[in-house]
Amino acid sequence: MLARLAVSRRAPIKVARFPTSSRSSSVGSCQKRFFSDKHHGIQKPRILNNPSEETPLTETIRDFLPPSEFYNLLKEYKMDFFTGVPDSLLKDFCAYVTDTASRNNHVITANEGAAVALATGYYLSTRKFPVVYMQNSGFGNAVNPLLSLADPKVYGIPMLLLIGWRGEPGKKDEPQHLVQGKVMSSMLTDMNIQFEVLPDFIEGARETIESAVHYMERRSAPYALLVKRQTFTKYSLKSVEPNLQQLSREEAIGLIVEQTGQWDIIVSTTGFASRELYEYRERRKQDHRREFLNVGSMGHASAISLGVAMFKPSRQVFCFDGDGAMLMHMGTTATIGITKPANYKHILFNNGAHDSVGGQPTRGFDVDFGKIALASGYKFALTVSTPEEIVEGMKKLRECEGPGLLEVLVNKGARKDLGRPITTPAENKVEFMQFLDG
């Protein structure tokens, strides 16, 4: 069955307004015009006593879908288990789920593939359809279990996939998202996953969910909903843990960079960390050749750093990582520990949140990253949180034989006016490689 990329059949039909002389017909002394009845999905003739009376063009009014209404709609169809990795386009809905669903019915996983697997276990145990949410940039993590586990030709595991559509064609976005967004619909088609765009009004959403449920019942297969930018109304996370650390991540990054040398190498993880590192250099009118800003590929900065450290053994290589990113591909920690590059210095900024996609919790503060690193083969691990501890910790990290880990506890959140790199990823790559050649 071919995948559908269309809004609900009940979506309001947009009708052009023509002059009454050419597109209206007289009914006695009245005129008949058509208007869109958004709530019933049809067009009705409306009798106007005054031909010049303006008719409300309800089909042109921008709709937004309240997270609470969509959540309750899913519950009507007995979909009340949610799992996945937070996304910026889904942050309002994810925040509502975090505040509303019981802890046993909402699990934020380390990566998207794990969410598909967890959803599979849920379905096997309950025979109910799970909801799996993710950003399309993380869809690659889910491809393997979707094809080799959930596909109807394998085990046939139905689940509703809620996918934030970053890089939607025709929309302005970052380069890495534009690449992923362009191929999103064709990827789903090639994987034989039926999909629709989620309508931004509740009547259309209801029909879409009805279609999804019918398909999942009949085919025993996943069904995907692509979610465009600004589909949901605003909702702020209420179950927020207080910031208890002394420093923001941006302040900690500044302190740490000040302790690095002119030939040291930095590979920085995706999200706010790379943007804050970029702005640190900008404020000081320094160049950016010493850093590789990993704008995509969440969780892979540690492996990129390992590759650089192995083949630039005379240079100190610092990986700027985040708790959500490290958790996403924690297996790389074991690879680093086994490889044992003496120049590998891992700096983990732990704020216990997926900061750049809405502040959803990672439970990073509940994980002992230092013990995990040491058990994986790291030779040094230390946790710091104050400016004095950071300076002393950096001294020890630079002097130790690697691999070493410095965990820095910081507050979540970022400046609202935080900028983005004005150079392209390709330009960053060229400048960085030239620095490595030096």
Side-chain angles (χ1 to χ4, degrees):
M1 180 182 293
L2 292 176
R4 288 187 293 144
L5 183 56
V7 295
S8 165
R9 292 189 302 275
R10 291 185 182 176
I13 301 172
K14 295 187 177 181
V15 180
R17 295 291 302 275
F18 295 94
T20 56
S21 60
S22 62
R23 291 297 179 190
S24 62
S25 58
S26 296
V27 183
S29 61
C30 303
Q31 284 203 322
K32 179 168 62 178
R33 296 183 188 170
F34 286 88
F35 73 100
S36 172
D37 184 349
K38 185 175 70 175
H39 298 292
H40 295 89
I42 60 175
Q43 286 196 323
K44 296 180 179 179
R46 178 177 177 182
I47 305 301
L48 302 178
N49 291 323
N50 183 356
S52 65
E53 180 183 340
E54 286 296 324
T55 305
L57 295 180
T58 56
E59 67 272 24
T60 65
I61 298 174
R62 177 70 166 89
D63 287 291
F64 298 97
L65 187 60
S68 59
E69 292 189 15
F70 186 61
Y71 177 86
N72 290 330
L73 174 62
L74 294 174
K75 289 194 69 174
E76 282 184 38
Y77 289 89
K78 303 190 184 308
M79 288 184 279
D80 57 4
F81 178 78
F82 304 86
T83 183
V85 178
D87 162 50
S88 56
L89 301 190
L90 300 174
K91 65 182 180 181
D92 302 297
F93 179 69
C94 289
Y96 185 84
V97 172
T98 298
D99 284 340
T100 307
S102 68
R103 187 161 185 171
N104 205 42
N105 276 39
H106 181 214
V107 180
I108 297 176
T109 54
N111 62 61
E112 295 80 2
V116 172
L118 175 59
T120 297
Y122 170 82
Y123 172 76
L124 294 173
S125 301
T126 66
R127 299 179 183 269
K128 294 169 64 177
F129 301 146
V131 179
V132 179
Y133 59 83
M134 67 187 75
Q135 186 177 110
N136 60 336
S137 60
F139 184 72
N141 288 329
V143 167
N144 178 271
L146 284 172
L147 290 177
S148 63
L149 177 64
D151 191 272
K153 292 182 180 178
V154 189
Y155 289 102
I157 308 295
M159 61 186 69
L160 185 68
L161 305 175
L162 202 61
I163 305 172
W165 198 0
R166 290 293 303 268
E168 174 196 349
K171 300 291 185 181
K172 184 179 180 180
D173 214 324
E174 299 300 308
Q176 70 276 16
H177 293 304
L178 291 175
V179 172
Q180 183 75 45
K182 183 178 180 180
V183 302
M184 190 65 241
S185 58
S186 60
M187 284 182 69
L188 290 168
T189 300
D190 290 342
M191 293 170 66
N192 292 317
I193 295 177
Q194 183 84 352
F195 70 96
E196 289 191 52
V197 172
L198 177 65
D200 57 9
F201 61 103
I202 194 63
E203 296 84 4
R206 178 176 293 279
E207 181 173 325
T208 297
I209 294 302
E210 288 176 357
S211 299
V213 169
H214 177 70
Y215 179 86
M216 290 188 289
E217 289 174 341
R218 184 166 51 89
R219 292 292 303 275
S220 192
Y223 192 99
L225 298 180
L226 292 178
V227 181
K228 294 184 176 184
R229 182 178 299 175
Q230 293 184 330
T231 292
F232 292 104
T233 57
K234 295 292 184 183
Y235 180 88
S236 297
L237 187 67
K238 300 197 169 39
S239 51
V240 179
E241 296 182 0
N243 283 327
L244 300 175
Q245 308 305 324
Q246 286 194 23
L247 299 173
S248 67
R249 179 187 48 249
E250 186 170 18
E251 291 169 332
I253 285 175
L255 282 171
I256 287 169
V257 174
E258 289 173 1
Q259 311 305 313
T260 59
Q262 63 175 339
W263 293 106
D264 290 343
I265 298 165
I266 299 174
V267 176
S268 182
T269 188
T270 188
F272 287 147
S274 283
R275 291 165 62 182
E276 289 165 347
L277 175 58
Y278 183 90
E279 289 220 338
Y280 173 88
R281 297 294 191 196
E282 285 288 291
R283 286 195 301 271
R284 286 156 181 77
K285 302 188 183 306
Q286 299 173 354
D287 59 55
H288 303 278
R289 62 196 183 100
R290 286 171 278 187
E291 295 96 36
F292 183 82
L293 305 177
N294 185 36
V295 296
S297 301
M298 181 175 173
H300 292 300
S302 56
I304 296 170
S305 303
L306 175 60
V308 174
M310 289 173 63
F311 295 97
K312 291 295 178 182
S314 64
R315 311 269 287 274
Q316 294 249 18
V317 179
F318 292 87
C319 173
F320 283 13
D321 217 345
D323 48 308
M326 189 171 178
L327 287 168
M328 181 167 281
H329 293 293
M330 189 170 277
T332 300
T333 305
T335 305
I336 295 166
I338 292 169
T339 309
K340 290 182 169 47
N343 59 332
Y344 189 99
K345 308 302 168 70
H346 202 162
I347 300 178
L348 173 64
F349 298 98
N350 184 359
N351 64 1
H354 287 287
D355 214 0
S356 61
V357 291
Q360 306 295 319
T362 62
R363 301 299 171 192
F365 290 146
D366 299 325
V367 178
D368 195 328
F369 290 101
K371 286 185 178 179
I372 291 173
L374 292 173
S376 299
Y378 280 53
K379 296 184 178 181
F380 172 84
L382 179 66
T383 299
V384 297
S385 62
T386 69
E388 297 77 18
E389 290 173 347
I390 289 175
V391 172
E392 183 63 25
M394 276 296 293
K395 181 180 179 182
K396 292 179 179 178
L397 186 66
R398 290 185 60 83
E399 294 174 350
C400 80
E401 181 181 354
L405 174 73
L406 183 67
E407 179 187 18
V408 185
L409 303 181
V410 295
N411 291 321
K412 65 172 174 284
R415 286 187 290 111
K416 291 184 179 180
D417 62 346
L418 182 63
R420 296 178 183 273
I422 60 174
T423 54
T424 67
E427 290 169 337
N428 175 219
K429 179 198 72 173
V430 170
E431 193 175 25
F432 180 72
M433 291 178 72
Q434 290 173 346
F435 176 67
L436 295 186
D437 290 339

